Amino acid sequence: MKRRAALVMAVAMLVGCQREQRDLRLDPPVAAALDQVAPTANGIGGAPPDVYVALGGPYESNAYNLGEGKRLYTWFNCKGCHADGGGASGPALMDGWWRYGADPVSLFVSLRDGRPNGMPAYRDKLTTEQIWQLVGYVQTIGMASATTAAPSRNDEMQSRPAENRAPAAADLPTPPSR
Amino acid sequence: MALWAALFLAVGGAGRAEDAPGRAPAAAITPETVRGLRLVSTFRTGNPQAHVASPQVAGDRLLVFTPFPHTLFALKVEAGHLRVDWTFRPDGNRMVEGVACCGLGLPGPAVAGDRLLLNTLDGHTIALDAATGRPLWDVPSAAVPRGETLASAPLVAGDRVIVGTAGDDFGIRGRVAALEAGSGRPLWTRFSTGSDQDVGIGPGFAPFYDRDLGRDAGVTSWPPGGWERGGGSVSGTLLHDPELGLVFHGTGRPAPINPDQRPGGNRWSSGLFARDAATGAARWFYQLASHDLHGVSGTGPLLMTDRDWKGVRRKLLIHVGLSGYVYVLDRVTGEVLSAEPFVPVNASRGVDLATGALLRSDNKTTRIGTMTRDVCPSLTGPVTPGGAALSPETGLLYIATSRLCMDIEPRPATYMQGTPFTGANLRAKRPPNGSLGALVAWDLAAGKPAWTIQEDLPVLGGPLPLPGGVVFYGTYDGYLKAVGARDGRVLWQEKLASGIVAAPTFFTAPDGAQYVSVLAGQGGALGPSAGLEVDARDATAARGLGNVLRGVPPPEDGGGALYLFALP
């Protein structure tokens, strides 16, 4: 009986490990492959890298990656220009309106290469994986449908409907500001 | 000379002297006649952003300067109709749109005889032939990749042009420079932080208060290297007193906003400088806030007037401060004679006139990782650089105010060139009582309002006092209003297509006809503090304005339109 319980636990742990397996650093070949987006000529839309598909789009659906994206969003000063998605010198990211497309490839290119009307290129500041984590997070800001994963809770100033309260684009009651 | 003075009046604060001789006679517009004002002509600029530059008068032309990407229109008024005489469209660096903290507009050109001197958002200072709009020279004054922009008009001081850079939100090192007016050749540059030599502090420096002394304080009052990205922008009004040979300017708040990253007095940020116009050497300095916690910043309006002050004739400098106080200083010595609140203030308890120190409120200090609630005024500022004007007839100071408070939560900021170096979550709040905006008629001697007109929304469009006893201003919900200069009685109003965020302008055509012109064009839902694509469900949008302006319906068409009104 005891042994069986131990076995069940071991299996459960293994499965758990597999679910949340995280590398400290991406394999260099994987990282390089993740950079191989094929945007269309105007930099809007296009094909994601094969490896992105093979990995199962891990940046949109994994809470750890979304949480990292949220952290990077503050650390790399996105917040100063886009606020919590409501916009300032940069456009709003939560209004459901995109200048360059809402798909992961457009967002990836927006972040990696910058955009001509004031979006700085983050190519030299972030790793490919970090850019993908941000892409995943940015998608949750402007999300029009609920997903199963959400970034970590906001411990700072509450500013807008939380990411896990999708659809954010719908007219949700605004958070209390007291 | 008459022309000059009229032009000065229109520059939105720059060089505005109450007793400038020969001010254009506009006495025809009085509390009795103003009711007859009617619309005679309109002109659309075609730019959808917030139009914060007041129309300006240059000879027989009316200048309209659009937000970035800029167009400068020179219009002529012929028999009540507006006609485009010439246009000037400088090439623009579109990357500037990311680093323009507070909208894409800035005040229009300074007028110097047959020349115009223009600052562009993306950092050019350009001299133009006023008759044709042909550029004469074009020099770089701010570096966009470093987060620098230009946010104020150049100041003409004799044969020099003075230009200051903006960008406190991007961790710039604020500076002011003088160019030769004829050629654009650089004459001197002085910084707001760094060594005494860089700042222009030498033997002639004599601040009124001892606390503003200290060798190389622009380095030693910062953590190592902090001064190199310490803000102190010169983005507000520049003022010239030819008699004293001085140029006055404020310095912006220290960067980042998070105070725990910059222990020390953060000299020479958040203060006022008087500099020798010829050399840029500092004559005096007054720090409005040492180790500024709340964005006190010295970039509010500056005006000058000579008056009897407590029985003594004094040369006064008026500073309408972002700390919420109207400061009256002696502009020869830098002594603060009075500092009284014109909006709700609780971040501080007043100014100690003996030491010059701002007395902070213990319960409103800010600290990293801590939210301080309901701090008044808000960091977005209670007044814009062009938001105050003196009337020689009434002696009153008219101020267009935003009555906002804030919740502020400092967080760590990382310096990355060309990205924001702020480190604070901000959310604007309503004041404890009263409305979000007001037109205040301030009695300088009494240190309190003579009268106040409450407005539901922040007032960013004005004021324009005229000698006939009428003050014009525009509201965020799109009304141009004329009120009695002595009593604040509303005499006349007209609804325009969009919110007004620039002061109206008075204009006399060559045929003697008198006009009041105003630009409507608030831009997006949150006005000049953000672009068109804002979503006010985010309380922190547009530096926290989302939280209080959330319910305001966006204009149907927020783009720029000039309206010309005349008496029959």
Side-chain angles (χ1 to χ4, degrees), chain A residues 9 34 52 63 79 87-88 96 100 105 131 164-165 167:
Chain A
M9 250 177 80
L34 271 173
Y52 180 88
K79 210 171 192 172
Y100 301 101
V105 173
I131 296 179
N164 55 4
R165 284 184 54 200

Side-chain angles (χ1 to χ4, degrees), chain B residues 364-431:
Chain B
K364 298 295 177 190
T365 58
T366 58
R367 205 149 25 87
I368 190 164
T370 304
M371 173 118 71
T372 308
R373 290 173 193 270
D374 299 299
V375 182
C376 314
S378 142
L379 203 117
T380 46
V383 63
T384 59
L390 277 164
S391 158
E393 288 73 24
T394 63
L396 295 173
L397 171 70
Y398 299 93
I399 315 172
T401 67
S402 302
R403 303 172 79 255
L404 297 173
C405 304
M406 65 174 166
D407 292 343
I408 176 169
E409 181 183 41
R411 58 176 157 81
T414 327
Y415 181 78
M416 260 177 272
Q417 196 176 67
T419 72
F421 187 49
T422 46
N425 301 321
L426 299 171
R427 177 164 82 183
K429 299 285 279 282
R430 296 194 68 93

Side-chain angles (χ1 to χ4, degrees), chain A residues 14 18-19 34 45 48 50 63 67 77 79 83 88 95-96 106-107 115 120 124 135-136 140 153 163 166-167 169:
Chain A
L14 267 176
Q18 206 170 18
R19 229 186 90 227
L34 271 173
D50 294 342
N77 301 343
K79 210 171 192 172
D95 60 353
S106 300
L107 293 174
R115 295 292 188 182
D124 304 329
V135 166
T140 70
R153 200 169 62 91
E163 295 87 352

Side-chain angles (χ1 to χ4, degrees), chain B residues 275-339:
Chain B
R275 295 184 179 279
D276 184 323
T279 64
R283 191 67 64 77
W284 56 257
F285 175 82
Y286 167 61
Q287 197 168 28
L288 297 155
S290 177
H291 188 61
D292 186 358
L293 297 181
H294 304 113
V296 166
S297 203
T299 54
L302 285 173
L303 306 100
M304 49 187 185
T305 177
D306 297 349
R307 291 202 184 172
D308 287 331
W309 186 266
K310 308 220 159 95
V312 185
R313 190 81 183 159
R314 291 240 200 188
K315 290 176 181 298
L316 301 180
L317 178 70
I318 314 296
H319 174 59
V320 186
L322 303 197
S323 57
Y325 299 98
V326 175
Y327 296 82
V328 180
L329 297 97
D330 182 316
R331 69 176 184 274
V332 180
T333 63
E335 178 184 5
V336 180
L337 305 173
S338 138

Side-chain angles (χ1 to χ4, degrees), chain B residues 317-550:
Chain B
L317 178 70
I318 314 296
H319 174 59
V320 186
L322 303 197
S323 57
Y325 299 98
V326 175
Y327 296 82
V328 180
L329 297 97
D330 182 316
R331 69 176 184 274
V332 180
T333 63
E335 178 184 5
V336 180
L337 305 173
S338 138
E340 296 294 333
F342 65 98
V343 287
V345 175
N346 65 19
S348 57
R349 293 173 284 118
V351 175
D352 179 346
L353 298 184
T355 64
L358 181 71
L359 304 170
R360 268 191 214 140
S361 309
D362 292 337
N363 60 345
K364 298 295 177 190
T365 58
T366 58
R367 205 149 25 87
I368 190 164
T370 304
M371 173 118 71
T372 308
R373 290 173 193 270
D374 299 299
V375 182
C376 314
S378 142
L379 203 117
T380 46
V383 63
T384 59
L390 277 164
S391 158
E393 288 73 24
T394 63
L396 295 173
L397 171 70
Y398 299 93
I399 315 172
T401 67
S402 302
R403 303 172 79 255
L404 297 173
C405 304
M406 65 174 166
D407 292 343
I408 176 169
E409 181 183 41
R411 58 176 157 81
T414 327
Y415 181 78
M416 260 177 272
Q417 196 176 67
T419 72
F421 187 49
T422 46
N425 301 321
L426 299 171
R427 177 164 82 183
K429 299 285 279 282
R430 296 194 68 93
N433 48 56
S435 57
L436 293 180
L439 182 73
V440 175
W442 186 262
D443 181 334
L444 287 166
K448 61 180 174 48
W451 50 261
T452 300
I453 302 175
Q454 301 274 339
E455 291 285 350
D456 288 344
L457 297 170
V459 184
L460 305 170
L464 170 70
L466 292 183
V470 178
V471 180
F472 286 87
Y473 70 102
T475 67
Y476 202 79
D477 51 3
Y479 283 92
L480 177 63
K481 297 191 179 180
V483 302
R486 287 179 202 286
D487 54 13
R489 207 153 44 85
V490 179
L491 305 166
W492 173 90
Q493 63 181 34
E494 182 95 5
K495 176 88 168 81
L496 311 183
S498 167
I500 300 164
V501 294
T505 301
F506 175 76
F507 176 63
T508 308
D511 63 2
Q514 299 188 344
Y515 300 97
V516 170
S517 70
V518 69
L519 258 178
Q522 76 174 70
L526 299 185
S529 36
L532 302 180
E533 286 163 46
V534 282
D535 191 328
R537 285 175 302 160
D538 173 2
T540 63
R543 308 164 107 217
L545 288 178
N547 200 40
V548 286
L549 298 182
R550 172 175 285 159

Side-chain angles (χ1 to χ4, degrees), chain A residues 4 56 78 118 140 146 172:
Chain A
R4 186 182 272 181
C78 314
T140 70
L172 286 172

